[in-house]
Amino acid sequence: MYSNETYLLEQLQESGLLTERDIQQAKAGLKPGESIIELLIKTGTVSDEQIAQMVAVSSGMEYVDLHGFEPHAGLKALISLEVALKYKIAPLGTNQNSLQIVVADPYDFETLDALPHVLQPDIEYYCSTPSLIKTLQANIYGNEAVMGVPKAKNMDGTVTDEDAPIIKLVTNMLMEAFKNKASDIHVEPLEKDIRIRYRMDGVLVDVEHHPKRLHSAIIGRLKIMTGTMQLDEKRIPQDGRIQMSYNEKEIDMRVSIIPTNNGESVVMRVLDKSSLKLGLVDLGFLSDDQAAFEQLITLPDGIILVTGPTGSGKTTTLYACLNFINRPDRKIITVEDPVEYELAGINQVMVKEDVGMTFAAALRAMLRQAPNIIMLGEIRDLETASIAIQASLTGHLVFSTLHTNDAPSAVARLSDIGVKPFLTASAVRAIEAQRLVRKLCADCKSPTSLSDRELRALGLEASQVLGATINGPNGCSKCRQGGYRGRMSLVEIFKVDDEVRSMINQQLTTPQLRKRARELGMRTLREDGIRKVLAGMTTAEEVIEATMADAD
């Protein structure tokens, strides 16, 4: 809501409008992604007018009470609706050669710097509340300011004047998601309205609601943006992609639409290409694990498996591995379903089962291309596993994924598929399992201690955490008051050496294999998580939740 919440809270305390207890009570009731200022207004602790007046005084702007302000017809010509909505401003009039405008956030310096270039150099700024500015926008621009439904939707995708508000609404929704580093955008029709949610750091956050009457127009606009979806088809699922630019960055989104009882529901996965450049340390590997894994992924042959449930970052880890070993003297080919990111210098093949291009068929054809390194999106069946193993045994380095709870379980999973133990022992060089946990916000994390419950859950004694750097979430504008920003991996690296090969050939059970692997030095997911808790990188709660299956 306001750009400098921390400063505003200090000012509100100094002015006597808030007490420290008010702030602490509000923080205790915060939901992920919620602003503490918004919550204080919602609970009636302070009013938006009190805050706006205090902000005006502290910033040197004049507060203007817009109650009863009667806009004249000429105001609409001073600022376009697009600019007014984008920058959350409204025109008040002119004074000689100056343009008078009202803003909600005097500390939004990015907006204040941009407006003289967008409008004109001479601007007089006034301050008021966000709600009063919205009301003024509606009074000046009419229904367009509240995103009215377009009267007609051209099925050929051309844009009419009536379409413009919906175009702006949808574009703003996508841009805000990318700006907030959301991984998914959910557009969900409910019984009486439309709910927009972003998935940020693995957590779904309710960001806004729109009238149900806008549903068809929003879905229609998204279908047009994909360029491939049928506008008049609402009975079956559809898939597509949207590509656009934001701050000179390319945004790529994978779009899935499915019919529900309340209308078509949309999920868009935001594919952030900046993640392609991440190294293992950026993903959360501590220095010793990073060194060990980098040594493994530079082996000349064999299979390297990355395991974990859906959404645990397996694909990102595979891409980080390929980036690390990608050199001009190596030929790398991938088989993916689908190809999510385009990797420079790497040949990528997309699975198309409807025309017979299965994982196995693509992998078989790839071997005739004389690659050094192969990345296989997933080992799904015996045919694919057999070809991958054969490739690894004939001098190729193969990367792939499996869905298992931990690293040693991958051996049993391959056996379930039908792979003989001696082939697994011969081909597999290492298995890495991982989970994602939220990282504490670097700007606001603060020292704390582990509770007795957390110590018991992690299997620690109080003496074991003496001198550790334990931090907890606090909340600031950088992390949307949530206390967390970004995610990192918990990793478990299972090296297949001669002793482990012998264990696999003896067909030891997974618990036996796991026990022996730990005796040989393998750290579990939970143990890696504990290291990161004690280093102040994440919280015990995050690690406990992510490693429930690793409680032993």
Side-chain angles (χ1 to χ4, degrees):
M1 181 179 176
Y2 290 100
S3 301
N4 197 338
E5 279 201 338
T6 303
Y7 175 73
L8 289 182
L9 290 173
E10 292 174 357
Q11 292 293 306
L12 287 166
Q13 280 186 274
E14 289 180 10
S15 66
L17 293 174
L18 278 182
T19 65
E20 180 63 25
R21 183 177 180 181
D22 292 330
I23 296 174
Q24 294 305 318
Q25 286 180 337
K27 285 182 178 180
L30 275 179
K31 297 177 181 177
E34 190 174 23
S35 159
I36 191 169
I37 295 287
E38 290 175 333
L39 183 58
L40 288 167
I41 293 172
K42 189 187 299 182
T43 57
T45 308
V46 290
S47 71
D48 56 352
E49 291 188 28
Q50 287 176 315
I51 292 176
Q53 289 169 4
M54 186 273 296
V55 166
V57 171
S58 64
S59 66
M61 283 188 190
E62 182 179 341
Y63 176 77
V64 57
D65 186 354
L66 295 177
H67 286 292
F69 180 86
E70 292 293 336
H72 58 78
L75 290 182
K76 189 173 182 179
L78 296 177
I79 299 176
S80 70
L81 171 63
E82 181 179 1
V83 170
L85 293 177
K86 179 178 180 179
Y87 294 102
K88 300 175 183 177
I89 61 174
L92 295 176
T94 56
N95 179 20
Q96 296 180 348
N97 294 324
S98 297
L99 173 64
Q100 298 171 315
I101 66 173
V102 59
V103 301
D105 186 359
Y107 294 106
D108 184 359
F109 299 117
E110 184 177 345
T111 291
L112 298 185
D113 289 342
L115 288 175
H117 301 284
V118 175
L119 299 172
Q120 66 177 57
D122 296 322
I123 299 176
E124 291 180 19
Y125 296 97
Y126 295 82
C127 177
S128 193
T129 71
S131 59
L132 288 175
I133 290 175
K134 286 183 180 180
T135 301
L136 180 55
Q137 287 175 341
N139 291 337
I140 294 173
Y141 301 101
N143 290 335
E144 287 182 298
V146 290
M147 300 297 182
V149 172
K151 295 178 182 177
K153 176 66 65 179
N154 292 341
M155 300 305 287
D156 61 1
T158 58
V159 178
T160 66
D161 289 340
E162 291 83 358
D163 290 329
I166 289 298
I167 292 174
K168 293 166 190 171
L169 185 151
V170 171
T171 301
N172 184 63
M173 173 181 70
L174 303 182
M175 293 301 187
E176 282 296 312
F178 193 73
K179 178 181 176 182
N180 287 290
K181 300 186 183 301
S183 61
D184 301 276
I185 308 166
H186 294 248
V187 182
E188 302 164 316
L190 305 179
E191 185 178 356
K192 296 181 179 179
D193 61 1
I194 308 164
R195 178 173 63 185
I196 310 297
R197 294 194 289 176
Y198 297 159
R199 188 180 296 278
M200 294 183 285
D201 298 333
V203 178
L204 275 174
V205 178
D206 199 333
V207 291
E208 58 185 346
H209 288 245
H210 296 298
K212 188 65 177 285
R213 56 190 175 82
L214 296 180
H215 178 256
S216 295
I218 291 173
I219 301 301
R221 176 58 188 163
L222 291 171
K223 287 182 177 179
I224 289 172
M225 293 179 75
T226 67
T228 57
M229 292 186 177
Q230 299 180 40
L231 290 170
D232 57 347
E233 180 57 77
K234 301 180 180 180
R235 302 165 298 171
I236 60 175
Q238 296 191 66
D239 295 298
R241 296 178 87 99
I242 292 175
Q243 293 180 311
M244 56 195 302
S245 297
Y246 172 75
N247 284 350
E248 299 183 353
K249 292 182 179 179
E250 293 298 317
I251 308 173
D252 195 3
M253 281 166 280
R254 199 169 73 202
V255 184
S256 171
I257 296 182
I258 188 171
T260 72
N261 59 328
N262 288 317
E264 291 177 289
S265 178
V266 184
V267 175
M268 291 169 278
R269 183 175 182 187
V270 182
L271 306 175
D272 183 2
K273 295 185 179 181
S274 64
S275 65
L276 300 182
K277 301 177 183 178
L278 297 177
L280 296 177
V281 66
D282 302 304
L283 300 181
F285 283 70
L286 296 180
S287 57
D288 52 350
D289 284 334
Q290 179 188 353
F293 201 57
E294 285 178 352
Q295 183 179 19
L296 290 167
I297 64 178
T298 53
L299 292 172
D301 55 32
I303 295 179
I304 307 291
L305 292 174
V306 178
T307 74
T310 300
S312 60
K314 298 189 296 297
T315 301
T316 302
T317 298
L318 286 179
Y319 284 152
C321 292
L322 295 184
N323 275 329
F324 182 78
I325 60 179
N326 187 14
R327 299 199 317 240
D329 63 337
R330 293 174 173 172
K331 184 178 180 68
I332 302 176
I333 304 182
T334 74
V335 186
E336 304 171 63
D337 182 20
V339 173
E340 293 186 351
Y341 303 95
E342 292 184 6
L343 302 170
I346 294 176
N347 301 276
Q348 295 174 267
V349 178
M350 185 166 72
V351 169
K352 296 181 180 178
E353 295 194 355
D354 54 336
V355 295
M357 180 65 87
T358 61
F359 272 110
L363 183 54
R364 193 179 292 110
M366 282 167 51
L367 294 176
R368 295 193 287 271
Q369 297 283 312
N372 303 103
I373 298 161
I374 295 168
M375 193 271 271
L376 183 61
E378 182 184 350
I379 292 179
R380 299 182 175 182
D381 51 44
L382 179 58
E383 184 181 13
T384 305
S386 299
I387 301 169
I389 288 172
Q390 187 62 35
S392 72
L393 295 176
T394 54
H396 302 84
L397 182 61
V398 180
F399 291 89
S400 192
T401 69
L402 279 175
H403 291 276
T404 64
N405 288 329
D406 59 13
S409 297
V411 174
R413 175 66 181 138
L414 289 172
S415 180
D416 291 340
I417 290 174
V419 179
K420 300 296 184 183
F422 76 91
L423 289 175
T424 298
S426 301
V428 177
R429 296 286 180 267
I431 304 165
E432 185 257 358
Q434 63 182 58
R435 297 288 189 281
L436 290 178
V437 294
R438 292 183 293 173
K439 292 191 292 186
L440 284 165
C441 175
D443 290 290
C444 67
K445 63 183 179 182
S446 56
T448 186
S449 59
L450 296 179
S451 67
D452 290 341
R453 182 191 66 81
E454 290 171 333
L455 287 170
R456 286 195 301 273
L458 295 176
L460 296 173
E461 299 291 337
S463 59
Q464 294 177 277
V465 301
L466 291 176
T469 306
I470 300 171
N471 290 317
N474 193 15
C476 67
S477 59
K478 296 284 185 67
C479 59
R480 296 172 59 92
Q481 307 301 325
Y484 298 91
R485 190 170 61 187
R487 289 192 289 176
M488 64 180 177
S489 300
L490 305 183
V491 300
E492 175 178 287
I493 301 174
F494 181 30
K495 298 178 185 178
V496 180
D497 56 17
D498 289 339
E499 184 164 357
V500 172
R501 288 190 190 93
S502 175
M503 294 158 57
I504 295 173
N505 280 323
Q506 295 173 41
Q507 300 185 41
L508 296 183
T509 64
T510 297
Q512 291 173 316
L513 203 60
R514 182 178 178 82
K515 180 181 178 182
R516 184 59 183 146
R518 293 184 67 179
E519 291 171 355
L520 293 173
M522 183 191 79
R523 260 189 304 270
T524 66
L525 290 165
R526 174 155 289 187
E527 288 166 346
D528 187 50
I530 290 171
R531 290 202 301 166
K532 288 164 183 172
V533 170
L534 300 185
M537 301 165 70
T538 187
T539 62
E541 182 182 0
E542 284 288 303
V543 171
I544 293 167
E545 184 176 347
T547 60
M548 290 297 292
D550 197 23
D552 61 336

mmCIF file with all atom_site columns, all heavy atoms in Angstrom, residues 471-487:
data_model
loop_
_atom_site.group_PDB
_atom_site.id
_atom_site.type_symbol
_atom_site.label_atom_id
_atom_site.label_alt_id
_atom_site.label_comp_id
_atom_site.label_asym_id
_atom_site.label_entity_id
_atom_site.label_seq_id
_atom_site.pdbx_PDB_ins_code
_atom_site.Cartn_x
_atom_site.Cartn_y
_atom_site.Cartn_z
_atom_site.occupancy
_atom_site.B_iso_or_equiv
_atom_site.pdbx_formal_charge
_atom_site.auth_seq_id
_atom_site.auth_comp_id
_atom_site.auth_asym_id
_atom_site.auth_atom_id
_atom_site.pdbx_PDB_model_num
ATOM 1   N N   . ASN A 1 471 ? 17.624 -17.491 13.377 1.00 0.00 ? 471 ASN A N   1
ATOM 2   C CA  . ASN A 1 471 ? 16.816 -16.315 13.057 1.00 0.00 ? 471 ASN A CA  1
ATOM 3   C C   . ASN A 1 471 ? 15.353 -16.691 12.867 1.00 0.00 ? 471 ASN A C   1
ATOM 4   O O   . ASN A 1 471 ? 15.023 -17.863 12.609 1.00 0.00 ? 471 ASN A O   1
ATOM 5   C CB  . ASN A 1 471 ? 17.320 -15.634 11.782 1.00 0.00 ? 471 ASN A CB  1
ATOM 6   C CG  . ASN A 1 471 ? 18.669 -14.965 11.981 1.00 0.00 ? 471 ASN A CG  1
ATOM 7   O OD1 . ASN A 1 471 ? 18.890 -14.317 13.004 1.00 0.00 ? 471 ASN A OD1 1
ATOM 8   N ND2 . ASN A 1 471 ? 19.574 -15.130 11.030 1.00 0.00 ? 471 ASN A ND2 1
ATOM 9   N N   . GLY A 1 472 ? 14.493 -15.698 12.976 1.00 0.00 ? 472 GLY A N   1
ATOM 10  C CA  . GLY A 1 472 ? 13.064 -15.899 12.754 1.00 0.00 ? 472 GLY A CA  1
ATOM 11  C C   . GLY A 1 472 ? 12.519 -14.848 11.816 1.00 0.00 ? 472 GLY A C   1
ATOM 12  O O   . GLY A 1 472 ? 13.169 -13.836 11.537 1.00 0.00 ? 472 GLY A O   1
ATOM 13  N N   . PRO A 1 473 ? 11.300 -15.050 11.295 1.00 0.00 ? 473 PRO A N   1
ATOM 14  C CA  . PRO A 1 473 ? 10.694 -14.079 10.376 1.00 0.00 ? 473 PRO A CA  1
ATOM 15  C C   . PRO A 1 473 ? 10.215 -12.843 11.128 1.00 0.00 ? 473 PRO A C   1
ATOM 16  O O   . PRO A 1 473 ? 9.773  -12.936 12.265 1.00 0.00 ? 473 PRO A O   1
ATOM 17  C CB  . PRO A 1 473 ? 9.521  -14.860 9.775  1.00 0.00 ? 473 PRO A CB  1
ATOM 18  C CG  . PRO A 1 473 ? 9.152  -15.852 10.829 1.00 0.00 ? 473 PRO A CG  1
ATOM 19  C CD  . PRO A 1 473 ? 10.432 -16.217 11.525 1.00 0.00 ? 473 PRO A CD  1
ATOM 20  N N   . ASN A 1 474 ? 10.307 -11.716 10.472 1.00 0.00 ? 474 ASN A N   1
ATOM 21  C CA  . ASN A 1 474 ? 9.855  -10.469 11.082 1.00 0.00 ? 474 ASN A CA  1
ATOM 22  C C   . ASN A 1 474 ? 8.802  -9.823  10.194 1.00 0.00 ? 474 ASN A C   1
ATOM 23  O O   . ASN A 1 474 ? 7.639  -9.756  10.544 1.00 0.00 ? 474 ASN A O   1
ATOM 24  C CB  . ASN A 1 474 ? 11.049 -9.538  11.335 1.00 0.00 ? 474 ASN A CB  1
ATOM 25  C CG  . ASN A 1 474 ? 10.697 -8.380  12.248 1.00 0.00 ? 474 ASN A CG  1
ATOM 26  O OD1 . ASN A 1 474 ? 9.660  -8.404  12.904 1.00 0.00 ? 474 ASN A OD1 1
ATOM 27  N ND2 . ASN A 1 474 ? 11.521 -7.362  12.276 1.00 0.00 ? 474 ASN A ND2 1
ATOM 28  N N   . GLY A 1 475 ? 9.212  -9.364  9.033  1.00 0.00 ? 475 GLY A N   1
ATOM 29  C CA  . GLY A 1 475 ? 8.267  -8.750  8.095  1.00 0.00 ? 475 GLY A CA  1
ATOM 30  C C   . GLY A 1 475 ? 8.665  -7.339  7.732  1.00 0.00 ? 475 GLY A C   1
ATOM 31  O O   . GLY A 1 475 ? 8.920  -6.522  8.624  1.00 0.00 ? 475 GLY A O   1
ATOM 32  N N   . CYS A 1 476 ? 8.742  -7.049  6.435  1.00 0.00 ? 476 CYS A N   1
ATOM 33  C CA  . CYS A 1 476 ? 9.052  -5.700  5.960  1.00 0.00 ? 476 CYS A CA  1
ATOM 34  C C   . CYS A 1 476 ? 8.452  -5.535  4.572  1.00 0.00 ? 476 CYS A C   1
ATOM 35  O O   . CYS A 1 476 ? 7.853  -6.463  4.026  1.00 0.00 ? 476 CYS A O   1
ATOM 36  C CB  . CYS A 1 476 ? 10.561 -5.458  5.932  1.00 0.00 ? 476 CYS A CB  1
ATOM 37  S SG  . CYS A 1 476 ? 11.455 -6.457  4.709  1.00 0.00 ? 476 CYS A SG  1
ATOM 38  N N   . SER A 1 477 ? 8.617  -4.364  4.004  1.00 0.00 ? 477 SER A N   1
ATOM 39  C CA  . SER A 1 477 ? 8.037  -4.106  2.690  1.00 0.00 ? 477 SER A CA  1
ATOM 40  C C   . SER A 1 477 ? 8.676  -4.968  1.611  1.00 0.00 ? 477 SER A C   1
ATOM 41  O O   . SER A 1 477 ? 8.040  -5.311  0.602  1.00 0.00 ? 477 SER A O   1
ATOM 42  C CB  . SER A 1 477 ? 8.194  -2.623  2.322  1.00 0.00 ? 477 SER A CB  1
ATOM 43  O OG  . SER A 1 477 ? 9.569  -2.251  2.314  1.00 0.00 ? 477 SER A OG  1
ATOM 44  N N   . LYS A 1 478 ? 9.952  -5.340  1.795  1.00 0.00 ? 478 LYS A N   1
ATOM 45  C CA  . LYS A 1 478 ? 10.649 -6.147  0.794  1.00 0.00 ? 478 LYS A CA  1
ATOM 46  C C   . LYS A 1 478 ? 10.039 -7.545  0.654  1.00 0.00 ? 478 LYS A C   1
ATOM 47  O O   . LYS A 1 478 ? 10.065 -8.148  -0.405 1.00 0.00 ? 478 LYS A O   1
ATOM 48  C CB  . LYS A 1 478 ? 12.128 -6.273  1.164  1.00 0.00 ? 478 LYS A CB  1
ATOM 49  C CG  . LYS A 1 478 ? 12.895 -4.960  1.147  1.00 0.00 ? 478 LYS A CG  1
ATOM 50  C CD  . LYS A 1 478 ? 13.206 -4.525  -0.273 1.00 0.00 ? 478 LYS A CD  1
ATOM 51  C CE  . LYS A 1 478 ? 14.069 -3.277  -0.272 1.00 0.00 ? 478 LYS A CE  1
ATOM 52  N NZ  . LYS A 1 478 ? 15.425 -3.497  0.260  1.00 0.00 ? 478 LYS A NZ  1
ATOM 53  N N   . CYS A 1 479 ? 9.507  -8.073  1.769  1.00 0.00 ? 479 CYS A N   1
ATOM 54  C CA  . CYS A 1 479 ? 8.940  -9.433  1.739  1.00 0.00 ? 479 CYS A CA  1
ATOM 55  C C   . CYS A 1 479 ? 7.427  -9.417  1.919  1.00 0.00 ? 479 CYS A C   1
ATOM 56  O O   . CYS A 1 479 ? 6.835  -10.437 2.285  1.00 0.00 ? 479 CYS A O   1
ATOM 57  C CB  . CYS A 1 479 ? 9.587  -10.302 2.819  1.00 0.00 ? 479 CYS A CB  1
ATOM 58  S SG  . CYS A 1 479 ? 9.385  -9.691  4.504  1.00 0.00 ? 479 CYS A SG  1
ATOM 59  N N   . ARG A 1 480 ? 6.809  -8.251  1.675  1.00 0.00 ? 480 ARG A N   1
ATOM 60  C CA  . ARG A 1 480 ? 5.362  -8.108  1.792  1.00 0.00 ? 480 ARG A CA  1
ATOM 61  C C   . ARG A 1 480 ? 4.882  -8.492  3.194  1.00 0.00 ? 480 ARG A C   1
ATOM 62  O O   . ARG A 1 480 ? 3.834  -9.100  3.376  1.00 0.00 ? 480 ARG A O   1
ATOM 63  C CB  . ARG A 1 480 ? 4.644  -8.946  0.722  1.00 0.00 ? 480 ARG A CB  1
ATOM 64  C CG  . ARG A 1 480 ? 4.917  -8.495  -0.698 1.00 0.00 ? 480 ARG A CG  1
ATOM 65  C CD  . ARG A 1 480 ? 4.343  -9.476  -1.708 1.00 0.00 ? 480 ARG A CD  1
ATOM 66  N NE  . ARG A 1 480 ? 2.917  -9.628  -1.552 1.00 0.00 ? 480 ARG A NE  1
ATOM 67  C CZ  . ARG A 1 480 ? 2.002  -8.904  -2.213 1.00 0.00 ? 480 ARG A CZ  1
ATOM 68  N NH1 . ARG A 1 480 ? 2.388  -7.975  -3.057 1.00 0.00 ? 480 ARG A NH1 1
ATOM 69  N NH2 . ARG A 1 480 ? 0.717  -9.115  -2.028 1.00 0.00 ? 480 ARG A NH2 1
ATOM 70  N N   . GLN A 1 481 ? 5.698  -8.158  4.203  1.00 0.00 ? 481 GLN A N   1
ATOM 71  C CA  . GLN A 1 481 ? 5.381  -8.410  5.606  1.00 0.00 ? 481 GLN A CA  1
ATOM 72  C C   . GLN A 1 481 ? 5.304  -9.895  5.964  1.00 0.00 ? 481 GLN A C   1
ATOM 73  O O   . GLN A 1 481 ? 4.848  -10.252 7.051  1.00 0.00 ? 481 GLN A O   1
ATOM 74  C CB  . GLN A 1 481 ? 4.061  -7.719  6.009  1.00 0.00 ? 481 GLN A CB  1
ATOM 75  C CG  . GLN A 1 481 ? 3.992  -6.247  5.691  1.00 0.00 ? 481 GLN A CG  1
ATOM 76  C CD  . GLN A 1 481 ? 5.092  -5.446  6.363  1.00 0.00 ? 481 GLN A CD  1
ATOM 77  O OE1 . GLN A 1 481 ? 5.497  -5.760  7.479  1.00 0.00 ? 481 GLN A OE1 1
ATOM 78  N NE2 . GLN A 1 481 ? 5.582  -4.424  5.672  1.00 0.00 ? 481 GLN A NE2 1
ATOM 79  N N   . GLY A 1 482 ? 5.751  -10.755 5.060  1.00 0.00 ? 482 GLY A N   1
ATOM 80  C CA  . GLY A 1 482 ? 5.647  -12.193 5.330  1.00 0.00 ? 482 GLY A CA  1
ATOM 81  C C   . GLY A 1 482 ? 6.823  -12.767 6.092  1.00 0.00 ? 482 GLY A C   1
ATOM 82  O O   . GLY A 1 482 ? 6.728  -13.837 6.697  1.00 0.00 ? 482 GLY A O   1
ATOM 83  N N   . GLY A 1 483 ? 7.974  -12.091 6.047  1.00 0.00 ? 483 GLY A N   1
ATOM 84  C CA  . GLY A 1 483 ? 9.149  -12.583 6.762  1.00 0.00 ? 483 GLY A CA  1
ATOM 85  C C   . GLY A 1 483 ? 10.026 -13.511 5.942  1.00 0.00 ? 483 GLY A C   1
ATOM 86  O O   . GLY A 1 483 ? 11.143 -13.842 6.360  1.00 0.00 ? 483 GLY A O   1
ATOM 87  N N   . TYR A 1 484 ? 9.530  -13.953 4.783  1.00 0.00 ? 484 TYR A N   1
ATOM 88  C CA  . TYR A 1 484 ? 10.298 -14.857 3.922  1.00 0.00 ? 484 TYR A CA  1
ATOM 89  C C   . TYR A 1 484 ? 10.419 -14.240 2.525  1.00 0.00 ? 484 TYR A C   1
ATOM 90  O O   . TYR A 1 484 ? 9.517  -13.542 2.058  1.00 0.00 ? 484 TYR A O   1
ATOM 91  C CB  . TYR A 1 484 ? 9.613  -16.218 3.794  1.00 0.00 ? 484 TYR A CB  1
ATOM 92  C CG  . TYR A 1 484 ? 9.480  -16.975 5.092  1.00 0.00 ? 484 TYR A CG  1
ATOM 93  C CD1 . TYR A 1 484 ? 8.344  -16.833 5.895  1.00 0.00 ? 484 TYR A CD1 1
ATOM 94  C CD2 . TYR A 1 484 ? 10.474 -17.858 5.513  1.00 0.00 ? 484 TYR A CD2 1
ATOM 95  C CE1 . TYR A 1 484 ? 8.213  -17.532 7.086  1.00 0.00 ? 484 TYR A CE1 1
ATOM 96  C CE2 . TYR A 1 484 ? 10.347 -18.565 6.699  1.00 0.00 ? 484 TYR A CE2 1
ATOM 97  C CZ  . TYR A 1 484 ? 9.213  -18.404 7.479  1.00 0.00 ? 484 TYR A CZ  1
ATOM 98  O OH  . TYR A 1 484 ? 9.080  -19.099 8.648  1.00 0.00 ? 484 TYR A OH  1
ATOM 99  N N   . ARG A 1 485 ? 11.533 -14.526 1.857  1.00 0.00 ? 485 ARG A N   1
ATOM 100 C CA  . ARG A 1 485 ? 11.693 -14.052 0.482  1.00 0.00 ? 485 ARG A CA  1
ATOM 101 C C   . ARG A 1 485 ? 12.580 -15.021 -0.282 1.00 0.00 ? 485 ARG A C   1
ATOM 102 O O   . ARG A 1 485 ? 13.756 -15.178 0.017  1.00 0.00 ? 485 ARG A O   1
ATOM 103 C CB  . ARG A 1 485 ? 12.310 -12.648 0.463  1.00 0.00 ? 485 ARG A CB  1
ATOM 104 C CG  . ARG A 1 485 ? 12.277 -11.997 -0.908 1.00 0.00 ? 485 ARG A CG  1
ATOM 105 C CD  . ARG A 1 485 ? 12.673 -10.551 -0.820 1.00 0.00 ? 485 ARG A CD  1
ATOM 106 N NE  . ARG A 1 485 ? 14.030 -10.401 -0.318 1.00 0.00 ? 485 ARG A NE  1
ATOM 107 C CZ  . ARG A 1 485 ? 14.571 -9.229  -0.018 1.00 0.00 ? 485 ARG A CZ  1
ATOM 108 N NH1 . ARG A 1 485 ? 13.862 -8.129  -0.131 1.00 0.00 ? 485 ARG A NH1 1
ATOM 109 N NH2 . ARG A 1 485 ? 15.805 -9.167  0.409  1.00 0.00 ? 485 ARG A NH2 1
ATOM 110 N N   . GLY A 1 486 ? 11.999 -15.690 -1.264 1.00 0.00 ? 486 GLY A N   1
ATOM 111 C CA  . GLY A 1 486 ? 12.734 -16.684 -2.038 1.00 0.00 ? 486 GLY A CA  1
ATOM 112 C C   . GLY A 1 486 ? 12.700 -18.060 -1.382 1.00 0.00 ? 486 GLY A C   1
ATOM 113 O O   . GLY A 1 486 ? 12.253 -18.214 -0.242 1.00 0.00 ? 486 GLY A O   1
ATOM 114 N N   . ARG A 1 487 ? 13.168 -19.046 -2.139 1.00 0.00 ? 487 ARG A N   1
ATOM 115 C CA  . ARG A 1 487 ? 13.230 -20.412 -1.609 1.00 0.00 ? 487 ARG A CA  1
ATOM 116 C C   . ARG A 1 487 ? 14.601 -21.020 -1.893 1.00 0.00 ? 487 ARG A C   1
ATOM 117 O O   . ARG A 1 487 ? 15.342 -20.550 -2.748 1.00 0.00 ? 487 ARG A O   1
ATOM 118 C CB  . ARG A 1 487 ? 12.134 -21.291 -2.237 1.00 0.00 ? 487 ARG A CB  1
ATOM 119 C CG  . ARG A 1 487 ? 10.746 -20.932 -1.764 1.00 0.00 ? 487 ARG A CG  1
ATOM 120 C CD  . ARG A 1 487 ? 9.726  -21.981 -2.165 1.00 0.00 ? 487 ARG A CD  1
ATOM 121 N NE  . ARG A 1 487 ? 9.458  -21.977 -3.598 1.00 0.00 ? 487 ARG A NE  1
ATOM 122 C CZ  . ARG A 1 487 ? 8.662  -22.854 -4.203 1.00 0.00 ? 487 ARG A CZ  1
ATOM 123 N NH1 . ARG A 1 487 ? 8.060  -23.803 -3.496 1.00 0.00 ? 487 ARG A NH1 1
ATOM 124 N NH2 . ARG A 1 487 ? 8.451  -22.776 -5.494 1.00 0.00 ? 487 ARG A NH2 1
#
